[in-house]
């Protein structure tokens, strides 16, 4: 059952999402060759608690960490390990926060040092796909319109769209109805209404879309070992239009880059 949110609830979700946004911005300056994922995880936990919030993932489904750190061929759900980041890696950092009873959940894939052009294109297209999906999240459209926009953009570049993992509703629980696949058909699925709040999160691969879970019970890798990218925003329908509750602006500020947020 979908829980549509009041304007007051949407502001609480925005505040929680912004805790995550600031945390991802803080991490942007720390993500470089030699950085330890374990240390990044501890820094993020402290930073979230300093904002009066709690880590959203830690303990949820027995998650052992504040961040999920997914490198290169890891699509999502990578656990922070001591192996340092390497020049040329890409690293998706997914972060959750719980503030005043509401969850934020968003993610960015960072470049570690110099990344090759093909991989940079994968990042660019995945982020574009996220915004193309968000643009379809308006009252009167269908959920399939969001899914289709993401899939269409990724596949038009020859990329794979992961099937097993999807976006989701978000509110007083991290994962609410509806599921938000990154593939689908236009005009199909639930009609989108005022107060809908979603975490939209394309997971796009350079090669096959097929994935496997590793024996740690968390890490999801591409089957062919090719890289994957993951970007996530929390979005609400306000006055019929998509209102992005999270932001990448803190990341862009830290990295000194100008991009459309
Ligand atoms: Mg997430
Ligand atoms: Mg999510």
């Amino acid at each position: 059952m979908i829980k549509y949110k009041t304007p007051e609830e949407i502001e609480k979700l925005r505040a929680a999402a912004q805790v995550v946004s600031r945390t991802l911005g803080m991490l942007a300056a720390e993500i470089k060759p030699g950085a330890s994922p374990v240390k990044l995880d501890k820094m993020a936990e402290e930073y979230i608690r300093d904002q009066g919030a709690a880590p959203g993932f830690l303990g949820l489904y027995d998650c052992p960490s504040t961040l999920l750190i997914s490198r290169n061929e890891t699509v999502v759900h990578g656990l922070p390990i001591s192996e340092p980041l390497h020049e040329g890696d890409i690293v998706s950092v997914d972060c959750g926060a719980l503030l005043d009873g509401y969850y934020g959940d968003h993610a960015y894939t960072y470049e570690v040092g110099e990344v090759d052009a093909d991989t940079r294109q994968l990042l660019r297209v995945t982020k574009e796909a996220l915004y193309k999906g968000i643009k379809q999240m308006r009252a009167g459209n269908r959920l399939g319109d969001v899914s289709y926009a993401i899939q269409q953009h990724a596949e038009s570049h020859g990329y794979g769209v992961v099937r097993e993992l999807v976006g989701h509703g978000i509110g007083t629980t991290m994962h609410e109805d509806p599921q938000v696949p990154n593939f689908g058909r236009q005009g199909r699925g639930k009609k989108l209404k005022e107060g809908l709040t979603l975490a939209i999160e394309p997971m796009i691969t350079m090669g096959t879309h097929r994935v496997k879970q590793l024996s740690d019970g968390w890490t999801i890798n591409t089957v062919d070992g090719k890289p994957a990218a993951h970007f996530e925003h929390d979005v609400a329908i306000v006055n019929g239009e998509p209102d992005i509750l999270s932001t990448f602006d803190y990341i862009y500020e830290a990295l000194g880059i100008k991009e459309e947020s």
Side-chain angles (χ1 to χ4, degrees), residues 75-110:
V75 184
V76 285
H77 300 174
L79 298 177
I81 54 170
S82 53
E83 168 79 14
L85 301 179
H86 299 296
E87 177 84 26
D89 281 352
I90 54 169
V91 58
S92 147
V93 177
D94 196 350
C95 180
L98 178 62
L99 181 70
D100 202 9
Y102 288 79
Y103 279 97
D105 170 21
H106 90 114
Y108 192 87
T109 303
Y110 302 82

Side-chain angles (χ1 to χ4, degrees), residues 219-232:
T219 311
I220 305 285
N221 279 7
T222 58
V223 164
D224 60 9
K226 291 193 177 163
H230 174 222
F231 290 88
E232 179 176 23

